[in-house]
Amino acid sequence: MTIKIHVTRTVLFLLCIAVTCLFVVTSESYGVSVPEATATITESDGVNIRSSYSTSSSIVGAIPYRSTVYIEKEKYTVAGSSNKTDIWYKISSSYGDGYIRSDLASVNYSYREGKTTSTINYRKGPGTDFSSEGTVEKGTQVKVALAAETAAGSSWYKIYYNNAYYYISASYVDMDSPSEGIGGGALTDAQFEAMLESEGFPESYKTMLRKLHVNHPNWKFRAKHVDFTWEEALNKQCANSNANLVSRNFSDGFKSVQKGDYDFDKHTYIGKDGDSWVSASKEGVAYYMDPRNWLTESSIFMFEPNNYDPTYQTESLVKKILSTTALPSTAAKYYISAAEQTYNGKKYVISPVYLATKTRQELGSSDFMINGHKFTYSGKTFENCYNVYNIGSVDSPDGSAATKGLVYAAGGVNKTDTSYLRPWNTLEKAVKGGAIYIASTFLERNQYTSYYERYNIMNGLSGIGTYQYATAIFSAATQASLIQNNYYDFGVLSESFTFEIPVYKSMPSTVAAKPSVASNNCYLDSITVSAGDQKLSFTKSFNRFTSNYTVKTTVGASVDKLTIKTMKNDNDATVTISGNSLKEGDNKITIKVKSPSGKYTKNYYVTVSKDSSLSENPNQDIIDGVEGTSLTASSELGDGYIRINWEKSYGYKVDYFEIFKSTKSENYDSKPLYTTTDGTKRTMKNTSNLVSDTRYYYRVRGVRVIDGTKYYTKWSNETVRTYKNPESPENPNQDIIDGVEGTSLTASSELGDGYIRINWEKSYGYKVDYFEIFKSTKSGIYDGKPLYTTTDGTKRTMKNTSNLVNGTRYYYRVRGVRVIDGTKYYTQWSSEANRIYKSPENPNQDIIDGVEGTTLTASSELGDGYIRINWEKSYGYKVDYFEIFKSTKSGGYGSKPLYTTTDGTKRTLKNTSNLVNGTRYYYKVRGVRVINGMKYYTKWSNQANRIYR
């Protein structure tokens, strides 16, 4: 026999002799079956979790806006007071356990029936400080909603009685015999524990399942044990990053920065379905894939088999779900008809609630997929196409997924496919045909819950990450929440649901955590190493995805450590270097880069050899000199050739030069076009492999051989020339044109007070008629229209004062223009200059910051024919007036306030108009301060709500 007792302050002594057990309890117990409530956070800024029921107690966590928590009990802190700020909830959540204030959350109650053991008073609050509202006779069945504790610490129950909430003393209620649910089959606690054991649920599942059992004793949970480990399943799911997407609006911790998912040069995530959807990180996938994260009141329905039960899956419920979509209410009957269909001699059964929820999730409020509009695709015209489930809407970087779904509805590009009742040229055919598609391609493939539909784990390890309905990693959670909300509204949560929950082998004992807001970027842009003043090079070029590098040069006895400099791709990443105390022989230095999120690390390894027997290289000065030597190259067009000329800076001689050629700028292979026989030559004539009207690029470097090792000068600049066949008429201005096109520019920028200044310099030689300056917010991406054009070719600066947003990085580049015989010829592009714009310091910034940091607390009370809204402002900064907003939906406010006060002293408003009996109204408040004609706002108050009677 298993006995489980939950107590608040209990000293427990257990003496077991044979089968006799004695329990001594020194304080009151709430018993085994007190239900917990669920609550949704209504404070837009989130809520702090406190260690105790006071704002002076320590903060132990924070819960985001709209998150769900479990309430274990109410705690009244002031005897006789029903002010919500005096009432606290003891809660548990995935963000931590502790206390939150009751005015910051909205509550959903479930009930367990108890029986009164005496005739007792019921009161408006817990404790005898509240007046009696009447009596409950001994032996009465009462609906217990939640445990409550008085300011003095005594135990009471919140009950639902006579269509209202009251409180009775817990000492006079027997909770030991739970009642049957609506569907029957309620389990006692002992039966429930036996079920968990027989199903083989790991301990890490049981805590949340027990919470659900307390509220829903007739719900049953079945474990589906799969034949592979959690790590195997997760790795297979993540093998294709394009199969796991999140909205770009998700925090960086949810996003992947692996190769192909992130543009490291532009510091942006690569769009996978249009620009708005990007690849998810492994942590993001794990969070949504771990079943234990979704064993909550609002998410458990992702594990509900999608069967049809007409007793509660009614047309009215379907209408409710579709009411927020663009579908007409009459469409609900199509979903009921779609629940049971025969197609090609086979019967298909599927939940209409599931189908309607899928429509709500896929289409939202848009009518794009159901308005029958005319469009063109692959050169063909389509119209009267309907697709209520987005079937065939394949993700695409160009954002054309929805259009592809409409083409699918038409029967494909050629309009010839008639499977699944296609063409879907009516709403009814789209609903019914799509239902057959889902039932035959998902339910028949063992994907019969929202979880299995998103994570295809029921078809073996090889199937994971394939054949999934949606690429959004959160689709199952979203769909489950929509189903639960509608079940709640229609009062069917007391039905006897059975849920099938997957259990993986070797499941970690801890639940997959929600990713942080910080980035997962752990890559470097460069590593440079030196020994003293000597810069060292690697045997291969640096690549951020390559881990191992070897220093070319063996260092001598005088080198105890290397100087290592790194450039992080994300400035918030951290770099630690170990193993940089050099010993004789080979040394492996580790450069560890940790992402800002702390979840990813990338190790780079630098191997360097030390030989103390080596004396200092007597040629080091020469080597350094050669490697510091610069070259300048130019080119000219001859009759049937292009001549390349170069000059070397004075100082160190070279043994020969290598000349490289390409048809693309900065894209050369490793083999030179020509190698001179010595280091004195300064010109070469390229006569072969030249095509008329083709532009050719050249660059040059010098080579010095010392003790058999080659050392190189710096690369020359790149010189370009367009080749013309000898028979082509020579342009008398060709030398000028070539000179202009070979002219280089260097650009820079500086931040001023309200502007960014762009400066540029031109290489000597050929004049230009004017300059064009281009601007962008993305590196290397400019449109064809310049920001500014100078009036002549002498100007070397311009001040950008308009279209600048504080905190934004702007990129600029410049080119010169020479007009010859009506044709424009351009210099080479300048280097790219960039600058982050900072707005000029506002002398009132301290006041503005103070106003915007000001907090408001709102409450409401019901009066005779009105609802009164009260608010308080934190001390410090005054406001000029307040704006009060009103809505019938939580969080759904328009832009126009209900009322604006005449000054900043008012703290109350009586709403007497546009109130409907039985309707819940929501209110929020903000303060406004006007400074120099600009409005600045305080933070929003919490949301106050009240049902009007």
Side-chain angles (χ1 to χ4, degrees), residues 13 163 177 271 483 492 571 576 614 619 646 667 729 748 834 865 939:
F13 298 88
N163 298 318
S177 302
I483 291 173
V492 298
N571 289 333
T576 55
L614 291 178
N619 297 310
W646 62 92
N667 187 17
S748 61
N834 69 83
K939 292 183 177 181

Side-chain angles (χ1 to χ4, degrees), residues 744-807:
S744 60
L745 277 72
T746 304
S748 61
S749 63
E750 56 188 88
L751 179 64
D753 189 18
Y755 64 85
I756 296 176
R757 182 182 296 280
I758 304 93
N759 307 305
W760 62 93
E761 290 297 331
K762 183 178 74 68
S763 60
Y764 291 104
Y766 295 87
K767 79 176 184 71
V768 298
D769 295 321
Y770 56 88
F771 292 96
E772 294 177 334
I773 299 87
F774 291 76
K775 171 185 174 183
S776 177
T777 56
K778 293 185 178 180
S779 174
I781 301 177
Y782 298 86
D783 60 24
K785 185 177 179 181
L787 165 70
Y788 180 74
T789 301
T790 65
T791 54
D792 57 49
T794 62
K795 191 164 184 179
R796 295 292 189 274
T797 186
M798 70 91 49
K799 188 186 292 186
N800 178 200
T801 58
S802 60
N803 297 320
L804 295 170
V805 177
N806 189 46

Side-chain angles (χ1 to χ4, degrees), residues 554-555 582-588 607-612:
T554 300
V555 299
L582 302 188
K583 300 177 181 178
E584 197 71 11
D586 289 343
N587 295 266
K588 193 170 189 178
T607 299
V608 59
S609 294
K610 179 175 179 176
D611 186 349
S612 297

Side-chain angles (χ1 to χ4, degrees), residues 441-505:
T441 57
F442 286 96
L443 270 64
E444 286 201 340
R445 287 175 52 89
N446 294 321
Q447 293 176 267
Y448 46 83
T449 70
S450 296
Y451 182 91
Y452 294 150
E453 197 178 77
R454 173 62 187 92
Y455 299 107
N456 182 18
I457 67 170
M458 295 299 291
N459 294 291
L461 185 61
S462 62
I464 298 177
T466 68
Y467 221 89
Q468 52 195 31
Y469 193 94
T471 52
I473 62 174
F474 52 84
S475 60
T478 301
Q479 188 162 296
S481 179
L482 290 171
I483 291 173
Q484 191 272 345
N485 285 339
N486 287 294
Y487 280 169
Y488 175 82
D489 289 344
F490 273 74
V492 298
L493 290 179
S494 297
E495 294 288 341
S496 294
F497 292 100
T498 297
F499 302 96
E500 182 175 302
I501 304 166
V503 176
Y504 298 86
K505 290 182 176 179

Side-chain angles (χ1 to χ4, degrees), residues 820-879:
I820 301 175
D821 295 333
T823 300
K824 295 178 181 178
Y825 299 93
Y826 300 95
T827 67
Q828 296 181 22
W829 283 108
S830 72
S831 54
E832 188 175 59
N834 69 83
R835 188 68 53 183
I836 296 176
Y837 178 69
K838 301 290 186 184
S839 299
E841 189 66 28
N842 190 328
N844 294 309
Q845 194 61 49
D846 287 343
I847 298 175
I848 294 168
D849 292 343
V851 171
E852 293 180 340
T854 296
T855 59
L856 277 71
T857 303
S859 61
S860 63
E861 55 188 89
L862 180 65
D864 187 15
Y866 63 86
I867 295 176
R868 183 181 296 281
I869 303 93
N870 307 305
W871 60 93
E872 290 298 329
K873 182 179 72 70
S874 58
Y875 291 104
Y877 295 86
K878 78 177 185 70
V879 298

Side-chain angles (χ1 to χ4, degrees), residues 37 39 49-50 52-53 69-76 84 87-92 98-107 109 146-147 158 167:
I49 306 172
R50 301 278 181 176
S52 187
Y53 40 84
V69 301
Y70 281 97
I71 302 176
E72 297 178 15
K73 69 175 178 179
E74 285 181 336
K75 171 64 178 178
Y76 278 65
K84 295 199 76 172
I87 306 170
W88 289 69
Y89 295 139
K90 185 178 182 183
I91 62 98
S92 60
Y99 291 83
I100 64 172
R101 218 171 57 199
S102 68
D103 59 318
L104 305 177
S106 63
V107 183
Y109 294 103
L146 192 61
K158 185 171 193 172
Y167 294 82

Side-chain angles (χ1 to χ4, degrees), residues 187-227:
L187 300 176
T188 66
D189 289 343
Q191 291 170 332
F192 179 74
E193 291 296 326
M195 181 194 71
L196 295 183
E197 287 301 317
S198 66
E199 290 293 323
F201 280 110
E203 287 301 320
S204 57
Y205 283 69
K206 292 180 180 178
T207 300
M208 299 303 288
L209 291 176
R210 286 172 182 138
K211 292 176 183 290
L212 290 171
H213 168 66
V214 168
N215 291 344
H216 305 283
N218 57 342
W219 285 6
K220 296 178 177 62
F221 307 99
R222 302 294 179 224
K224 189 68 175 180
H225 295 272
V226 296
D227 292 330

Side-chain angles (χ1 to χ4, degrees), residues 679-691:
T680 62
K681 191 165 185 179
R682 294 292 188 274
T683 187
M684 70 90 51
K685 188 186 290 186
N686 177 204
T687 58
S688 60
N689 297 318
L690 295 170
V691 179

